[in-house]
């Protein structure tokens, strides 16, 4: 399969699904909470991001860098994760 065909198929899929979303009344959608969702109800994007980072840090037992560290699991560079932690006010005592 050609690369152009794949991207064209993706664009078509995206257009169709986006168009379908316009025809589904919100009242008919049933959304169930996942067990893996934030343990604390998050009202903002930053709160959800903070919860997700804290959960990942707890799962890695506080390891930030390395192949199995929180940064790798979150798909971030170590320095980016450190910056986000500082911005969100996450300290070591929050996850250890």
């Amino acid at each position: 399969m050609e690369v152009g065909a794949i991207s064209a198929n993706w664009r078509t899929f995206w257009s169709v699904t986006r168009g379908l979303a316009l025809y589904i009344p919100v009242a008919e959608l049933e959304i169930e909470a996942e067990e893996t969702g934030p343990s604390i109800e998050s009202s903002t994007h930053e709160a959800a991001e903070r919860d997700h980072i804290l959960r990942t840090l707890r799962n890695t037992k506080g390891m930030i860098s390395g192949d199995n560290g929180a940064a790798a699991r979150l798909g971030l560079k170590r320095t980016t994760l450190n910056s986000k932690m500082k911005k969100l006010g996450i300290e070591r005592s929050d996850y250890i």
Side-chain angles (χ1 to χ4, degrees), residues 2-95:
E2 295 178 29
V3 175
I6 293 172
S7 62
N9 287 338
W10 177 250
R11 283 193 302 271
T12 302
F13 170 77
W14 181 248
S15 296
V16 170
T17 54
R18 206 172 57 180
L20 288 175
L22 297 175
Y23 295 107
I24 301 173
V26 175
E28 291 181 19
L29 294 177
E30 291 184 27
I31 301 172
E32 296 181 19
E34 295 181 16
E35 289 183 28
T36 58
S39 57
I40 301 169
E41 191 152 332
S42 302
S43 59
T44 65
H45 175 72
E46 283 187 358
E49 184 177 31
R50 186 176 197 280
D51 290 344
H52 186 60
I53 290 172
L54 281 171
R55 191 176 324 107
T56 305
L57 285 165
R58 288 182 187 123
N59 288 339
T60 60
K61 297 180 174 79
M63 187 168 63
I64 294 175
S65 59
D67 292 338
N68 293 318
R73 289 187 184 188
L74 293 168
L76 301 171
K77 292 183 179 181
R78 177 189 50 82
T79 53
T80 303
L81 179 56
N82 283 332
S83 296
K84 285 182 177 285
M85 290 170 61
K86 184 176 181 180
K87 177 184 152 203
L88 296 169
I90 297 174
E91 298 177 0
R92 187 169 176 82
S93 61
D94 295 331
Y95 56 89

